[in-house]
C-alpha cells in the first residue's frame, strides 16, 4: 500500500478551488444580468402602469425641415406609435435634428477614361434630445448614424433617384435604431429616478 502523492493532491485541490471560484463568479454575473425584451408588456419606467409599447407611443416628435429628416421623423412616428400616429397628450417630447453627408465611395470606369464616381454613400446622422413633457427635464441627449450605399449611373436622373432611394433606406434604418436607443434611454432614466 502506498501513501498518496502530496504534489498531486495539492494540484487537485487547486483545480477544485479554481472550478468553484469560476462557478461563483458565473453565478454572480448571471444574477446581475438585466436583459429584458423590448416588446414585453413590462413598463420601461418606474411606477408606470403601461407597458413599453404604450410608453414609447407617448412620445411626441417636433417638426423638422428637410426631406430626409422628415423621412426619419415619419418612420420614427410609425415605429413608436405602431402605426397609430402621434399621441394626443404626450408624456415625452423628442427634439430631432438630422444631417446628411453624401460621399463618392468608389471609382470604377470600364468603358470611359473619365474619373466619374460610380458608387456613393449617404450617411444620415440624428441628434436628439428626449425630455419629459411635464417637467421639461432632459432625459437623454444622443447621436446616432446610419450609412447606405448606392450606385451612381451616368444618367443624371437615375443617379439622383438612386441617392433618394439610399436616403429613404437610411431613414428607415435610422428610425429603427433611434427607437431602440430611446427605449434604452427611458429604461436608464427609470433607474436614475427610482434609485
Amino acid at each position: 500500500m502506498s501513501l498518496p502523492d502530496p504534489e498531486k493532491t495539492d494540484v487537485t485541490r487547486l483545480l477544485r478551488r479554481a472550478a468553484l471560484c469560476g462557478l461563483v463568479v458565473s453565478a454572480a454575473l448571471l444574477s446581475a444580468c438585466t436583459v429584458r425584451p423590448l416588446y414585453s408588456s413590462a413598463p420601461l419606467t418606474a411606477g408606470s402602469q403601461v407597458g413599453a409599447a404604450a410608453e414609447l407611443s407617448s412620445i411626441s416628435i417636433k417638426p423638422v425641415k428637410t426631406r430626409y429628416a422628415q423621412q426619419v421623423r415619419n418612420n420614427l412616428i410609425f415605429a413608436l406609435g405602431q402605426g397609430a400616429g402621434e399621441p394626443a397628450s404626450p408624456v415625452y417630447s423628442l427634439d430631432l435634428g438630422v444631417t446628411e453627408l453624401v460621399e463618392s465611395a468608389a471609382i470604377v470606369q470600364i468603358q470611359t477614361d473619365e474619373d466619374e464616381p460610380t458608387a456613393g454613400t449617404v450617411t444620415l446622422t440624428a441628434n436628439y434630445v428626449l425630455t419629459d413633457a411635464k417637467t421639461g427635464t432632459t432625459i437623454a441627449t444622443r447621436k446616432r448614424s446610419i450609412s447606405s450605399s448606392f450606385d451612381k449611373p451616368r444618367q443624371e436622373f437615375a443617379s439622383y433617384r438612386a441617392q433618394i432611394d439610399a436616403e429613404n433606406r437610411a431613414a428607415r434604418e435610422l428610425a429603427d435604431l433611434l427607437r431602440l436607443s430611446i427605449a434604452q434611454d427611458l429604461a436608464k432614466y427609470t433607474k436614475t429616478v427610482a434609485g
Side-chain angles (χ1 to χ4, degrees):
M1 193 150 125
S2 66
L3 293 172
D5 189 7
E7 290 179 11
K8 288 183 182 177
T9 55
D10 288 341
V11 171
T12 306
R13 279 190 210 139
L14 185 62
L15 289 175
R16 285 183 185 163
R17 285 184 187 161
L20 182 61
C21 287
L23 283 172
V24 170
V25 168
S26 297
L29 287 175
L30 288 175
S31 68
C33 184
T34 59
V35 175
R36 64 180 172 177
L38 178 63
Y39 301 108
S40 74
S41 58
L44 286 174
T45 57
S48 178
Q49 301 300 319
V50 297
E55 197 156 356
L56 287 173
S57 67
S58 68
I59 298 173
S60 173
I61 304 171
K62 294 181 181 177
V64 292
K65 297 185 184 201
T66 60
R67 191 201 74 77
Y68 50 84
Q70 187 64 42
Q71 287 290 323
V72 173
R73 182 178 183 268
N74 290 346
N75 285 306
L76 188 57
I77 289 171
F78 187 83
L80 292 175
Q82 297 178 345
E86 286 199 273
S89 55
V91 177
Y92 304 103
S93 175
L94 185 76
D95 190 6
L96 180 67
V98 181
T99 58
E100 177 188 48
L101 175 64
V102 180
E103 299 175 299
S104 295
I107 298 174
V108 180
Q109 290 292 341
I110 298 173
Q111 298 172 339
T112 66
D113 294 332
E114 301 173 17
D115 284 338
E116 296 176 15
T118 59
T121 301
V122 172
T123 302
L124 293 183
T125 302
N127 296 302
Y128 70 88
V129 178
L130 181 64
T131 57
D132 189 323
K134 291 180 184 176
T135 63
T137 304
T138 299
I139 297 171
T141 302
R142 302 268 185 256
K143 180 179 182 178
R144 299 289 184 256
S145 294
I146 288 288
S147 295
S148 182
S149 299
F150 63 99
D151 289 331
K152 292 176 85 174
R154 295 178 67 187
Q155 299 169 339
E156 186 175 337
F157 179 75
S159 179
Y160 176 71
R161 187 64 235 181
Q163 180 178 332
I164 296 294
D165 290 343
E167 286 174 0
N168 293 342
R169 279 192 312 274
R172 282 191 305 272
E173 292 176 20
L174 186 56
D176 288 340
L177 182 64
L178 289 173
R179 180 178 185 273
L180 292 173
S181 181
I182 290 166
Q184 290 172 342
D185 292 335
L186 287 176
K188 288 177 186 174
Y189 178 65
T190 302
K191 290 177 184 174
T192 59
V193 168

